[in-house]
Amino acid sequence: MNLFIYICCFISLSLTHPTPDNFEHPEMLIHSTGNRMKRELPALSFKPSEIEKDPDFWNNKAGKFLEKQLNKNRLNKKMAKNVIFFLGDGMGISTLMASRMYKGGEELELSFEQFPYSGLSKTYCVNTQVADSACSATSYLSGVKGNYGTIGLSAAVIQGDCIGQNNTSHHVESLIRKGQRSGMRTGIITNTRITHATPAGTYANIANRNWENDVRVKNDGGNTETCPDIAYQLIHGHVGKKLNVILGGGRQEFITENEKDIDGNFGRRSDKNLINVWMHIHRHKNSKYVETKEQLMKVNDNVERLLGLFDSNHMPFHLDDEAETKPSLSEMVNKALNIFESSDDDKGYILFIEGGKIDHGHHFGLAKKALDETIEFEKAVELARTRTSEDDTLIVVTADHSHSFTVSGYASRGNNILGLNDGMKSSDGFPYTTLGYENGPSFYQNIDKEGRRINLENENVLSNDYGYPTQYPLPLETHGGEDVGVFASGPHAHLFTGVYEQNFIPHAIKYIACIGDGLTFCSEDQES
């Protein structure tokens, strides 16, 4: 009976809403032919190699991977002396897939995709379905989920709640703090402002991620005495003062509004120059402050404290390269490892590294720059894994959230991932790009005055600054809410398999590195 009703309803809908001759089905073009539907496959130009035509190629490939999986039974159940935590900001699954093709082919693997263990983490905030970089930083660094826009605070505090921020019972500790308590050396690296939401998650407890300087706090009606800003917390806070390595951008957040930095830009503070304060605090230590790539390269590896601020704001995209004055992510990671490895301290280190420009590329709809930044991030991961031992150094790679970034259509394999889809055109007769966004700032760039799609054959879609088509307009493209990948290599890396809440990650790291309170590998080992 239910089936009969369904068929009647379907016939009724078909009569009242006839299918157009060129309706574009999500999977393929469909044409009505009387009462029958005919599927039209995309016109593909890819010619498989002779080796890929042979079934043995695919069988052997799968067999080798099976052997690799079986070897995972030999688990590394040692303690991690060192931890390197990589965070690709906005590096969702679709970004990984497109980055492989940007790198050179669908079949390629990014360096961290070759790690033996991987999983998926769920990224939502306590009060939002889709995370921002603030609440997610709290989650994967402290082990507690918080509210949108807040950093280092429990969900008892909502964005902008200065009173809640001042209540230390709402503060949560990051992995960096736990490592410092255990005597480990610590460092943070980013190519965004060092006061931006992601790196701030390592050292700040703040009710509004935008409170990067004292002026922003005051403008929102906050009290800087009870709600110190993020830059202030980095210089004066109990975590920030103990950081051995601090490298990134955001110089303007540390100098006053009547001072110019090396790039000729005025600061954003109203109180004092915090760079001078940092140098004064650490004057009796072997400390160094640097502002250029050349200065960084000359820093003695035996330095005890290093602060490097390489840009007034965020550091530039790799494709807008300023290599003469701005160090790459890999160069900053390399210097930090030099410093940590030159120490006689046998208590190890924790290094947190953010590839933040992936996120910025997506927010602007600049897919090429986002993919290029992913490859730059991958290079830094590969460098770290090559330079360290899997025997005693745990490396975890993940993302804080995804983006509304899509890879769609039926382009031929090998087709330029940045270019036009060569498999078929849309129902308006124009080609479309394989890459696109659900929303973002480039909506109007790709339509004419009448609101119709423009012919992309006349556009330079391969340009570094081409804004990819979007479904609807927004000043900035938004994050995506799907799960993100977690990749692990080193001691107890197998703990990161499965699907889990994002806040599980620091609990696993804490266990493996024997830091913080509660259950750790060391306490469990002693009990046994």
Side-chain angles (χ1 to χ4, degrees):
M1 184 65 179
N2 289 337
L3 178 61
F4 175 76
I5 295 173
Y6 173 81
I7 293 172
C8 291
C9 291
F10 177 81
I11 294 173
S12 175
L13 287 172
S14 299
L15 292 174
T16 55
H17 300 282
T19 305
D21 288 340
N22 290 302
F23 175 73
E24 188 175 8
H25 190 273
E27 293 184 357
M28 56 202 65
L29 292 181
I30 296 179
H31 298 284
S32 61
T33 311
N35 293 325
R36 302 178 63 187
M37 304 294 274
K38 173 186 166 185
R39 297 177 176 178
E40 182 175 311
L41 297 174
L44 303 178
S45 61
F46 178 75
K47 295 182 179 179
S49 64
E50 290 302 314
I51 191 171
E52 288 191 352
K53 292 179 182 178
D54 186 347
D56 286 342
F57 168 78
W58 299 105
N59 292 329
N60 293 334
K61 189 178 180 75
K64 289 179 180 178
F65 188 74
L66 177 60
E67 291 179 7
K68 180 180 176 182
Q69 295 297 90
L70 292 172
N71 284 332
K72 290 182 180 179
N73 290 328
R74 305 187 185 100
L75 301 178
N76 178 351
K77 291 189 175 182
K78 298 180 180 179
M79 168 193 167
K81 176 183 178 182
N82 310 309
V83 176
I84 306 177
F85 192 161
F86 279 92
L87 193 285
D89 200 312
M91 191 180 67
I93 300 297
S94 57
T95 299
L96 296 179
M97 180 263 196
S99 295
R100 294 184 211 125
M101 289 187 276
Y102 177 80
K103 184 179 180 180
E106 294 85 349
E107 71 285 356
L108 297 181
E109 292 178 307
L110 302 179
S111 60
F112 49 86
E113 291 180 321
Q114 299 174 42
F115 284 5
Y117 301 99
S118 59
L120 293 171
S121 78
K122 298 182 281 187
T123 62
Y124 63 91
C125 301
V126 168
N127 63 345
T128 59
Q129 293 177 337
V130 178
D132 77 320
S133 294
C135 73
S136 54
T138 305
S139 181
Y140 62 73
L141 283 167
S142 75
V144 174
K145 288 211 173 195
N147 290 322
Y148 183 95
T150 66
I151 302 171
L153 300 170
S154 72
V157 182
I158 61 172
Q159 185 173 2
D161 180 6
C162 184
I163 296 175
Q165 173 184 324
N166 193 41
N167 185 343
T168 57
S169 68
H170 300 321
H171 292 193
V172 292
E173 282 190 349
S174 73
L175 280 171
I176 295 292
R177 176 61 170 163
K178 289 179 172 66
Q180 290 175 345
R181 288 185 184 278
S182 298
M184 301 177 77
R185 305 188 85 194
T186 54
I188 56 175
I189 296 173
T190 182
N191 49 13
T192 69
R193 294 191 298 270
I194 199 71
T195 52
H196 212 225
T198 298
T202 63
Y203 61 85
N205 308 99
I206 199 85
N208 189 328
R209 58 175 290 173
N210 295 324
W211 292 349
E212 297 182 53
N213 57 65
D214 65 318
V215 173
R216 293 299 297 269
V217 178
K218 294 174 183 176
N219 288 345
D220 285 346
N223 185 334
T224 56
E225 294 294 323
T226 57
C227 292
D229 61 87
I230 296 174
Y232 184 95
Q233 290 188 42
L234 177 58
I235 303 303
H236 292 280
H238 50 264
V239 178
K241 285 195 295 187
K242 292 184 178 181
L243 286 167
N244 298 95
V245 175
I246 305 168
L247 301 175
R251 205 182 298 122
Q252 289 176 298
E253 311 300 332
F254 296 86
I255 63 176
T256 63
E257 296 168 315
N258 57 4
E259 295 176 287
K260 283 187 177 181
D261 67 4
I262 190 175
D263 295 328
N265 297 310
F266 285 103
R268 295 173 175 170
R269 305 193 65 81
S270 67
D271 51 4
K272 54 189 171 183
N273 185 313
L274 291 179
I275 296 172
N276 292 337
V277 173
W278 183 89
M279 290 191 287
H280 179 76
I281 290 174
H282 301 288
R283 66 191 182 281
H284 298 307
K285 299 182 178 69
N286 181 13
S287 62
K288 188 72 175 178
Y289 170 67
V290 296
E291 297 181 315
T292 67
K293 173 182 174 179
E294 181 181 8
Q295 291 173 348
L296 177 67
M297 296 299 105
K298 292 180 179 179
V299 170
N300 191 304
D301 293 341
N302 292 319
V303 70
E304 185 178 348
R305 295 281 193 277
L306 174 62
L307 171 61
L309 299 175
F310 304 105
D311 202 284
S312 304
N313 202 318
H314 299 301
M315 294 174 70
F317 287 106
H318 172 250
L319 289 177
D320 298 336
D321 204 0
E322 298 177 34
E324 294 302 315
T325 57
K326 315 289 184 183
S328 68
L329 200 62
S330 292
E331 288 168 334
M332 291 190 284
V333 170
N334 195 55
K335 175 55 71 173
L337 291 177
N338 286 348
I339 292 171
F340 287 151
E341 291 172 1
S342 67
S343 173
D344 294 329
D345 189 346
D346 63 353
K347 292 186 177 180
Y349 60 81
I350 297 182
L351 180 60
F352 179 78
I353 302 144
E354 180 202 21
K357 301 296 289 185
I358 302 169
D359 180 70
H360 294 177
H362 281 319
H363 276 310
F364 296 136
L366 305 177
K368 183 175 182 179
K369 288 185 173 178
L371 302 187
D372 187 76
E373 291 296 328
T374 304
I375 300 304
E376 287 299 299
F377 177 78
E378 176 218 22
K379 292 176 184 176
V381 176
E382 185 174 17
L383 169 71
R385 186 70 286 174
T386 301
R387 285 202 50 175
T388 57
S389 171
E390 289 187 56
D391 192 56
D392 67 357
T393 301
L394 171 68
I395 297 183
V396 177
V397 181
T398 188
D400 46 357
H401 52 73
S402 183
H403 275 269
S404 72
F405 175 64
T406 61
V407 185
S408 61
Y410 301 96
S412 303
R413 184 173 162 197
N415 189 57
N416 191 331
I417 189 61
L418 299 170
L420 301 177
N421 192 304
D422 69 345
M424 61 175 66
K425 295 183 178 180
S426 66
S427 56
D428 59 11
F430 292 156
Y432 58 90
T433 55
T434 302
L435 304 181
Y437 294 90
E438 174 67 12
N439 55 65
S442 53
F443 176 84
Y444 295 105
Q445 178 182 336
N446 292 285
I447 61 173
D448 61 21
K449 294 180 180 179
E450 284 72 39
R452 298 170 300 191
R453 254 183 15 104
I454 62 175
N455 187 349
L456 296 184
E457 290 178 338
N458 301 324
E459 301 298 309
N460 183 11
V461 298
L462 301 182
S463 165
N464 291 349
D465 293 304
Y466 173 68
Y468 280 79
T470 72
Q471 179 68 19
Y472 57 89
L474 281 179
L476 289 175
E477 177 267 353
T478 69
H479 297 164
E482 68 269 27
D483 298 350
V484 297
V486 184
F487 308 87
S489 169
H492 278 88
H494 57 279
L495 295 183
F496 296 93
T497 57
V499 180
Y500 37 81
E501 297 286 357
Q502 191 175 50
N503 69 294
F504 163 74
I505 295 172
H507 287 276
I509 294 176
K510 179 183 78 70
Y511 172 87
I512 299 166
C514 292
I515 58 176
D517 300 325
L519 179 65
T520 69
F521 170 71
C522 296
S523 63
E524 188 178 50
D525 186 53
Q526 290 171 2
E527 290 173 4
S528 62

